[in-house]
Amino acid sequence: MRYLLKNLKKYRKESILAPLFKMLEALFDLFVPLVVQDIINVGIRDHNTVYILQRCGLMVGLAVVGLICSITAQYFSARAAVGCAAGLRHDLFSHIQTLNFSEMDQIGTSTLITRMTSDINQVQNGLNMFLRLFLRSPFIVFGAMIMAFTIHPRLALIFAVIIPVLFVIIFGIMKWTSPLYKKVQTKLDTVLGITRENLSGVRVVRAFNKEQSETERFQESNEQLNREQLHVGRISGLMNPLTYAVVNLGIIAILYMGGAAVNSGSLMDGSVIALINYASQILVELIKLANTVVLISRALASLSRVEMVLDTKPSMIFPNSPSPTPASEEAVRFDHVNLRYAGAGEDSLTDVSFCAMRGQTIGVIGGTGSGKTSLVSLIPRFYDATGGKITLEGKPITAWAKEELRGHVGVVPQRAQLFTGTIRSNLLWGNPDASEEQLEKALETAQALDFVRKKPLGLDEPVEQGGRNFSGGQKQRLTIARALVKEPEILILDDSASALDFATDAALRKALRTLPEHITVFIVSQRTSSLQHADQILVLEDGRLAGGGSHAALLESCQVYREIYESQFK
């Protein structure tokens, strides 16, 4: 709740004025039954048309003033709710940017999307209704009971009985449904995850003719969500009939006892009508309150899910300021390093040790799932090693400030990812101050300059979401160019040439050898041809270092490397 209140403080004025104007509207509503009472008891009984018209004019005046108050209250409540939700969404997005890969893996992408969209929309709607109705409805309910006591204390005792019963019904159902709404949102996460997976993998689904099975999988998850929504909807649906039944029993009691009081002469007809009007007002307001409670229950369930993400603290701690880096010819050293992902049953890397010197090209090869990406992910500290020690240029990796470390290491991920904008805007991610000459040089090294020049707008050619208007090979070359624009001390190419043909791959490797001598390059690849000219090749098998050395030495000494080589060249 503290995150919501923090953002609501910025709209303190609107948060006070919205319920204030709503209660002013409610106050005018409470006077209407008294005016009706006067019309019946005085105007109709005495056949006084002028008095009736005067009182009708007063009712119209109360209605107009109430309408103005209502519109004003709705404006302020909407302003506060929308502004608060926008602030909460911004806080959530900013916090997600601080989370490490471990936390992102544990929470899940589809869940984070749901919490930033659906959950925050639920919080916005709940806050809006709270500011508008949650104080107005109790004010009307207790105000109507007080007004009833001014008319006839004995009949007003009926109100004193039915109001507590109604509150028990409403808040009992609220307590019952609140955890169920959390389950509904969890099921929504699952549906969103399947939808996202199918949309991103639509080519694979169609290539394997799996449309029917994926439709059935989606339908099953959708049915589970539907069942949960119907279950909680049925429980919430009990609120209206129960409140109607209690209030109507109260009206029957008022008519029964009021009729007897009118016959005895202790009460007038208009007073009975006024009491029934107050009972009707209570009914209407409690129905509104019931619907508000349902919305607030959903909002609270969604808010707890949002706060769960906001309460998740990053597991990695980075120093606030850079520390001196000792002069060292070592670029990267792994000393008996282990890595186990959160929730995993066994290590992904076990007892890995090697040393990469400045200016060397290091190849990393191994079978699928051998730990290649895990190994290079430790260098920019995307994950923390669970054992052993990693040093970068002679300084422990945990001693590097975040900005310093990420500026020092350039990464081309396994999956090429471009962002909406232009080719130029994507390249400038590496260095916002890069000149035209630097951009062209990076594109030339990445073997991307030719196809960029052929584009009608060149560097200003639009890039659609995810780079879908480029081929796989073009995207890979642009992501390599983006990393080169950064001019890092350590460049990591994580299987980033897998979509390139052999000729382009060879040209890229030749161009990479012309990089400045101080740059250390890590190349992860499945192709031995891409690594055979590397100064040192690391061979991984099941998370362990099966061998290390030059291409020729590994052919002689490492069976795993020899098997990979022979499978590709024989």
Side-chain angles (χ1 to χ4, degrees):
M1 191 66 75
R2 68 181 184 276
Y3 300 105
L4 184 68
L5 294 175
K6 183 190 80 171
N7 285 289
L8 201 56
K9 282 180 182 177
K10 301 171 188 175
Y11 300 90
R12 187 181 284 109
K13 180 182 71 175
E14 289 86 349
S15 302
I16 294 170
L17 290 175
L20 180 64
F21 275 98
K22 268 296 177 183
M23 285 193 285
L24 281 173
E25 179 203 358
L27 187 63
F28 293 124
D29 285 350
L30 289 172
F31 287 133
V32 172
L34 297 180
V35 176
V36 173
Q37 174 185 262
D38 289 344
I39 291 172
I40 295 170
N41 289 347
V42 179
I44 293 176
R45 189 188 66 180
D46 298 339
H47 303 286
N48 188 341
T49 307
V50 175
Y51 185 84
I52 292 170
L53 292 174
Q54 287 175 344
R55 290 292 163 175
C56 287
L58 178 60
M59 285 178 65
V60 172
L62 289 172
V64 170
V65 175
L67 177 63
I68 293 170
C69 291
S70 177
I71 291 171
T72 307
Q74 290 190 25
Y75 168 76
F76 285 124
S77 65
R79 184 178 171 83
V82 171
C84 183
L88 191 62
R89 191 178 288 111
H90 180 268
D91 290 346
L92 183 59
F93 186 82
S94 299
H95 182 72
I96 288 170
Q97 295 299 320
T98 68
L99 296 178
N100 305 315
F101 283 22
S102 296
E103 288 81 39
M104 297 282 282
D105 293 342
Q106 283 180 287
I107 298 170
T109 307
S110 58
T111 301
L112 291 173
I113 293 171
T114 305
R115 296 184 196 201
M116 283 198 64
T117 52
S118 174
D119 283 325
I120 290 183
N121 285 341
Q122 295 284 3
V123 172
Q124 178 182 313
N125 293 335
L127 180 60
N128 191 6
M129 294 300 287
F130 176 83
L131 293 174
R132 285 170 51 194
L133 295 176
F134 208 73
L135 293 181
R136 180 190 190 278
S137 294
F139 184 82
I140 287 271
V141 169
F142 291 108
M145 185 173 71
I146 292 166
M147 299 299 279
F149 272 101
T150 63
I151 295 171
H152 196 284
R154 186 161 158 265
L155 286 177
L157 291 173
I158 297 169
F159 289 82
V161 172
I162 64 172
I163 288 172
V165 173
L166 290 169
F167 271 94
V168 168
I169 292 170
I170 289 168
F171 287 100
I173 289 176
M174 179 180 176
K175 188 175 181 181
W176 191 0
T177 55
S178 184
L180 295 176
Y181 281 119
K182 288 184 183 179
K183 288 181 69 177
V184 168
Q185 291 300 107
T186 304
K187 296 293 183 186
L188 184 62
D189 285 346
T190 306
V191 171
L192 182 63
I194 293 172
T195 305
R196 180 176 174 276
E197 190 177 52
N198 273 270
L199 291 176
S200 60
V202 64
R203 294 175 187 271
V204 178
V205 172
R206 290 181 179 176
F208 286 89
N209 194 29
K210 300 293 285 184
E211 292 94 336
Q212 185 60 37
S213 63
E214 287 302 308
T215 302
E216 289 171 2
R217 188 162 74 102
F218 176 83
Q219 189 172 1
E220 183 182 347
S221 296
N222 200 36
E223 282 296 322
Q224 290 178 359
L225 173 62
N226 189 38
R227 282 196 297 271
E228 290 292 340
Q229 286 178 320
L230 287 175
H231 177 56
V232 72
R234 289 189 190 100
I235 297 169
S236 300
L238 291 172
M239 203 173 290
N240 282 5
L242 289 174
T243 49
Y244 267 107
V246 172
V247 172
N248 280 301
L249 286 172
I251 290 173
I252 291 169
I254 290 168
L255 288 171
Y256 178 77
M257 295 173 67
V262 169
N263 285 336
S264 65
S266 62
L267 193 67
M268 299 185 70
D269 297 350
S271 300
V272 175
I273 298 299
L275 288 170
I276 291 172
N277 279 342
Y278 281 127
S280 298
Q281 278 189 347
I282 289 171
L283 174 62
V284 170
E285 289 306 319
L286 284 172
I287 296 301
K288 288 181 183 177
L289 183 62
N291 292 328
T292 303
V293 164
V294 170
L295 276 173
I296 290 173
S297 297
R298 299 183 71 172
L300 289 173
S302 294
L303 181 61
S304 68
R305 284 161 51 82
V306 172
E307 288 183 336
M308 189 274 282
V309 179
L310 289 169
D311 286 334
T312 302
K313 302 300 180 187
S315 56
M316 290 185 191
I317 306 298
F318 287 88
N320 292 325
S321 57
S323 60
T325 304
S328 174
E329 286 303 309
E330 290 183 359
V332 177
R333 176 178 284 277
F334 275 50
D335 191 9
H336 301 287
V337 170
N338 296 336
L339 172 65
R340 178 176 296 192
Y341 293 109
E346 56 184 20
D347 288 348
S348 295
L349 292 174
T350 306
D351 196 32
V352 175
S353 298
F354 71 89
C355 178
M357 307 303 288
R358 279 179 180 271
Q360 281 191 336
T361 298
I362 309 298
V364 183
I365 197 168
T368 302
S370 59
K372 301 185 297 296
T373 298
S374 298
L375 185 143
V376 294
S377 294
L378 293 173
I379 298 172
R381 207 182 169 198
F382 291 153
Y383 296 93
D384 263 339
T386 50
K389 183 182 178 183
I390 302 173
T391 56
L392 200 67
E393 297 190 354
K395 184 167 73 172
I397 200 164
T398 52
W400 286 77
K402 188 174 184 179
E403 292 76 14
E404 182 190 21
L405 177 62
R406 300 289 158 80
H408 208 74
V409 181
V411 181
V412 183
Q414 200 168 11
R415 182 180 175 186
Q417 180 67 55
L418 298 176
F419 295 87
T420 308
T422 62
I423 293 175
R424 185 190 303 277
S425 68
N426 272 274
L427 294 180
L428 290 176
W429 272 52
N431 179 7
D433 302 319
S435 64
E436 196 88 6
E437 193 176 320
Q438 286 174 293
L439 297 181
E440 289 195 0
K441 185 181 177 183
L443 286 169
E444 185 179 6
T445 303
Q447 309 303 302
L449 187 59
D450 288 344
F451 81 79
V452 170
R453 280 179 173 167
K454 290 176 184 176
K455 298 288 182 184
L457 299 176
L459 283 168
D460 296 311
E461 184 72 16
V463 177
E464 295 181 11
Q465 184 182 16
R468 61 172 176 257
N469 55 328
F470 292 90
S471 69
Q474 289 174 336
K475 284 195 290 185
Q476 284 193 337
R477 283 177 279 173
L478 287 174
T479 54
I480 293 169
R482 181 172 61 196
L484 291 170
V485 169
K486 190 176 180 180
E487 297 181 350
E489 295 295 313
I490 297 172
L491 177 65
I492 299 171
L493 305 177
D494 184 6
D495 208 10
S496 53
S498 57
L500 304 184
D501 58 72
F502 282 98
T504 307
D505 183 24
L508 173 64
R509 283 186 280 114
K510 184 178 179 181
L512 288 174
R513 287 199 290 273
T514 65
L515 290 174
E517 290 183 359
H518 63 85
I519 296 179
T520 307
V521 181
F522 281 80
I523 302 176
V524 177
S525 181
Q526 301 280 4
R527 301 173 182 170
T528 54
S529 60
S530 300
L531 306 178
Q532 59 185 347
H533 298 293
D535 299 300
Q536 185 180 174
I537 301 172
L538 305 176
V539 184
L540 292 173
E541 183 181 31
D542 296 329
R544 295 179 180 274
L545 198 60
S550 66
H551 171 72
L554 287 171
L555 283 177
E556 294 292 330
S557 62
C558 183
Q559 184 180 351
V560 176
Y561 184 78
R562 188 166 58 251
E563 286 175 357
I564 296 171
Y565 177 79
E566 289 176 352
S567 69
Q568 295 174 2
F569 285 92
K570 284 191 178 180

